[in-house]
Amino acid sequence: MTGRDLILDRLRAALGEPRTAPAAAPRDYRPAGTVAADLDLLVDRLTDYRATVHRCADADVARTVDEVLGGRQIVVPPGLPRHWLPASVTAVPDDNLTAARIAALDGVVTAAAVAVAETGTILLDGAPDQGRRIITLLPDVHVCVVRTEQVVATVPDALARVDPHRPLTWISGPSATSDIELNRVEGVHGPRNLHVIVTT
């Protein structure tokens, strides 16, 4: 018997009987595609999270952006549809703007990758119409346009639509946290104001 065998025998004796393998974890999750998307539920969840929801036709997005950000300077991702921007805003394209420059702007307008009705969550994946994550975190106001066909029922449905290798940002309402006394504080980790435009 080698010294190694002796040490391993002593360890086995100290540990006692071999442990049984853990029970298999259940994998019977609700699969994607089993529930229809409910647009009203998405609006309800977003409102509950203190987001402001606007419903309009795609042709009226610019009017809604004007109501929220008119007269201000905003950052926009490079692939944002230009017909969503009213003449009343000064749009600054994000061509690798510095963090200080982005933080000095009043707001941001982006599209979305997908929205989950059940949880009221919007996913951004860094596509050209959504841009870099930083532009959605530093300005005080984020206006996010969600097309009706992008709304899905559940998280599994959303995951089936996105590429897990892309930089995913999950948004459920404006940025909020609580201090030690459980007082809600908004705007610590992102925009204090989230406006979601749902196009119909």
Side-chain angles (χ1 to χ4, degrees):
M1 175 179 281
T2 66
R4 178 179 183 275
D5 293 334
L6 180 62
I7 291 171
L8 290 175
D9 283 346
R10 288 179 180 170
L11 286 171
R12 288 186 196 99
L15 292 173
E17 293 296 319
R19 297 180 183 176
T20 59
R27 301 290 182 204
D28 55 347
Y29 307 124
R30 183 173 50 186
T34 57
V35 181
D38 184 342
L39 192 58
D40 291 329
L41 180 61
L42 173 68
V43 171
D44 181 62
R45 294 288 195 264
L46 287 167
T47 304
D48 190 47
Y49 291 147
R50 299 188 184 184
T52 303
V53 180
H54 311 265
R55 294 172 85 164
C56 67
D58 185 78
D60 294 325
V61 169
R63 180 184 51 77
T64 306
V65 171
D66 176 59
E67 292 172 4
V68 177
L69 289 169
R72 301 187 196 176
Q73 288 192 340
I74 63 170
V75 59
V76 295
L80 189 79
R82 292 301 183 235
H83 71 274
W84 286 353
L85 298 176
S88 62
V89 299
T90 302
V92 179
D94 176 34
D95 53 0
N96 290 316
L97 298 172
T98 65
R101 178 68 175 116
I102 296 168
L105 296 170
D106 300 308
V108 59
V109 178
T110 71
V114 65
V116 184
E118 185 175 64
T119 62
T121 304
I122 298 168
L123 278 71
L124 308 179
D125 66 2
D129 59 358
Q130 297 152 54
R132 297 184 299 155
R133 185 170 189 251
I134 192 171
I135 69 172
T136 65
L137 296 177
L138 295 181
D140 192 51
V141 181
H142 180 187
V143 176
C144 186
V145 182
V146 177
R147 297 177 177 96
T148 303
E149 62 270 17
Q150 293 177 309
V151 178
V152 297
T154 66
V155 171
D157 293 314
L159 291 175
R161 285 202 184 188
V162 296
D163 179 353
H165 299 101
R166 293 188 64 81
L168 300 178
T169 303
W170 298 61
I171 302 169
S172 294
S175 169
T177 189
S178 294
D179 64 17
I180 196 166
E181 296 177 350
L182 299 181
N183 294 317
R184 181 180 170 102
V185 180
E186 296 179 344
V188 177
H189 308 294
R192 284 185 303 144
N193 300 285
L194 175 64
H195 290 259
V196 180
I197 301 175
V198 180
T199 63
T200 54

